[in-house]
Amino acid sequence: MATNIAKIACAVAFAAGVAAPVTAVAKSSTVTAIEERGTLLCSGHNGSYFGFVEVNDKNEWKGLDIDMCRALTTAILGDPDKAQIVPLSWAQRFPALQSGDVDVIIKATGWTMGRDTEVGLQFSLPYFFGGTQFMAHGDLGITEAKELDGGTICVEAGTTIERLAGNYLKTLGIEHTMVSYEKASELRAAYLANRCDAFAAWGPFLAVLRATELEKPDAHIILSDQLSNEPIAAAMRQGDEEFVDMVNWMIAALLIAEEEGVTSANVEEMASNPPNPKIARLLGVDPGMGERLGIRDTWAKEMIAATGNFGEIYDRNLGKGSPYKLERGLNNLWSHGGVLYAPILD
């Protein structure tokens, strides 16, 4: 009750334009556990999910989601190399989070009502948007999903895609057989062996796969149907609101850095002579950025130095600096025609 009264008093003071008293910030129990352990446990994949969570030829993890994990690790522990990536299938990720085997899921995970309620998760700000689509063998001569009548559709188990694809085809009145596979490599092999007519997956993944991983890209066509536009966010256990704040402001700081032109190359220079008050606050020159989260004021500066801003992370893993060359599209800043934006840094 006392907490509620304090919140009401702060709200009234804020509404009246009166400065509310500063209250002590409770520290996240998850952040405390990460600091005591000395590593952050983050989700990997049981194979490669190209562009997002993949293993290179040196058996090293890379990808947009891996870099987001490293950014969060730097924010909390000051060192991206303290991220410990735990290989998990899609079906294993939520039980692993709930059991404490990982601290956070950052792995192309869509924010859905069922996961938010029945599964008992909390989600961050979306950091990526992508829809489900079908890819089919070009020799079938089809361009739309309504032409898949009687076909076999392959999907990866434990994702929202199986349900989305099934519901979509049912709505169109398309008779089909759905076959699910535990691993992306098994799914890809089944599709290439013609055991299925079409491959339902996340659109950005299909585009990356078709462009770089298939021997004859022109022999495969991504159908025009867009089944969803899914907000992708980090997933966390319920009950630790302060950790949600931490993850949200990690994402926000990466976006604000891109908006303000703060990069891994110039962050030290920006910190030594901030061009405006927003950058001074972001980089910890003016205090407050860390105290509100129970960590160092310079966490965002260290994070940007280690991983770059969001635009740098995108370009390195999916965009012009990657083999995939995916346009930003919706995943650009709002000021550049996309839908990504950060909350206000006050």
Side-chain angles (χ1 to χ4, degrees):
M1 178 63 77
T3 301
N4 289 337
I5 291 172
K7 287 181 177 178
I8 292 169
C10 288
V12 170
F14 181 77
V18 177
V22 175
T23 56
V25 176
K27 187 162 184 174
S28 158
S29 58
T30 304
V31 169
T32 299
I34 292 167
E35 289 174 337
E36 291 175 354
R37 188 191 308 123
T39 57
L40 187 148
L41 304 174
C42 201
S43 50
H45 193 51
N46 57 339
S48 281
Y49 195 71
F50 296 106
F52 293 88
V53 186
E54 60 179 284
V55 180
N56 66 17
D57 54 9
K58 297 178 182 176
N59 207 31
E60 299 167 333
W61 290 102
K62 59 174 287 194
L64 183 137
D65 285 338
I66 294 297
D67 274 354
M68 297 294 280
C69 285
R70 290 180 173 140
L72 180 61
T73 305
T74 309
I76 296 172
L77 297 173
D79 183 351
D81 292 336
K82 291 184 178 177
Q84 184 176 340
I85 309 301
V86 180
L88 297 170
S89 69
W90 296 109
Q92 290 171 326
R93 61 189 155 158
F94 300 140
L97 178 64
Q98 299 291 22
S99 66
D101 290 341
V102 292
D103 297 308
V104 62
I105 300 290
I106 304 180
K107 179 182 167 177
T109 295
W111 182 355
T112 73
M113 184 179 183
R115 292 168 178 172
D116 208 355
T117 55
E118 294 168 348
V119 182
L121 304 178
Q122 294 195 108
F123 287 90
S124 70
L125 301 169
Y127 62 87
F128 196 92
F129 288 82
T132 297
Q133 292 183 269
F134 296 103
M135 181 169 69
H137 298 286
D139 57 9
L140 293 177
I142 63 174
T143 58
E144 299 176 83
K146 67 182 181 183
E147 299 170 283
L148 284 170
D149 199 29
T152 298
I153 316 299
C154 291
V155 298
E156 198 160 1
T159 70
T160 54
I161 292 168
E162 184 172 4
R163 186 168 62 252
L164 278 170
N167 288 343
Y168 186 78
L169 294 173
K170 184 178 180 181
T171 301
L172 292 178
I174 302 299
E175 295 291 334
H176 65 280
T177 301
M178 193 76 73
V179 180
S180 61
Y181 293 87
E182 184 68 18
K183 292 185 175 182
S185 57
E186 296 171 347
L187 169 57
R188 191 165 61 251
Y191 171 76
L192 291 176
N194 282 310
R195 293 202 292 274
C196 37
D197 299 297
F199 181 160
W202 203 35
F205 174 75
L206 287 178
V208 165
L209 180 71
R210 179 177 179 271
T212 62
E213 301 298 326
L214 299 185
E215 188 176 343
K216 296 179 180 177
D218 292 341
H220 309 273
I221 183 166
I222 296 177
L223 306 186
S224 59
D225 309 65
Q226 182 89 21
L227 281 62
S228 67
N229 193 10
E230 199 169 7
I232 301 303
M236 293 152 280
R237 292 180 287 273
Q238 288 186 349
D240 188 349
E241 304 297 334
E242 291 78 16
F243 190 52
V244 178
D245 290 343
M246 178 72 249
V247 175
N248 277 337
W249 280 100
M250 176 273 292
I251 296 169
L254 293 172
L255 295 173
I256 292 169
E258 184 180 4
E259 286 175 354
E260 296 292 330
V262 182
T263 69
S264 55
N266 68 17
V267 64
E268 293 296 340
E269 181 184 347
M270 289 271 197
S272 63
N273 187 22
N276 63 52
K278 189 175 183 180
I279 293 177
R281 175 59 64 91
L282 175 70
L283 302 182
V285 179
D286 289 346
M289 190 69 177
E291 183 181 1
R292 291 165 167 174
L293 298 169
I295 58 173
R296 312 167 317 286
D297 266 342
T298 55
W299 66 266
K301 185 188 80 168
E302 296 164 24
M303 177 180 75
I304 296 161
T307 65
N309 62 38
F310 186 80
E312 291 179 275
I313 291 174
Y314 185 97
D315 286 343
R316 181 165 64 241
N317 292 294
L318 292 171
K320 56 189 177 185
S322 78
Y324 312 128
K325 314 296 182 192
L326 287 190
E327 297 290 334
R328 291 282 293 267
L330 289 178
N331 295 298
N332 212 330
L333 298 176
W334 66 274
S335 53
H336 292 74
V339 297
L340 297 183
Y341 62 92
I344 300 298
L345 176 59
D346 59 1

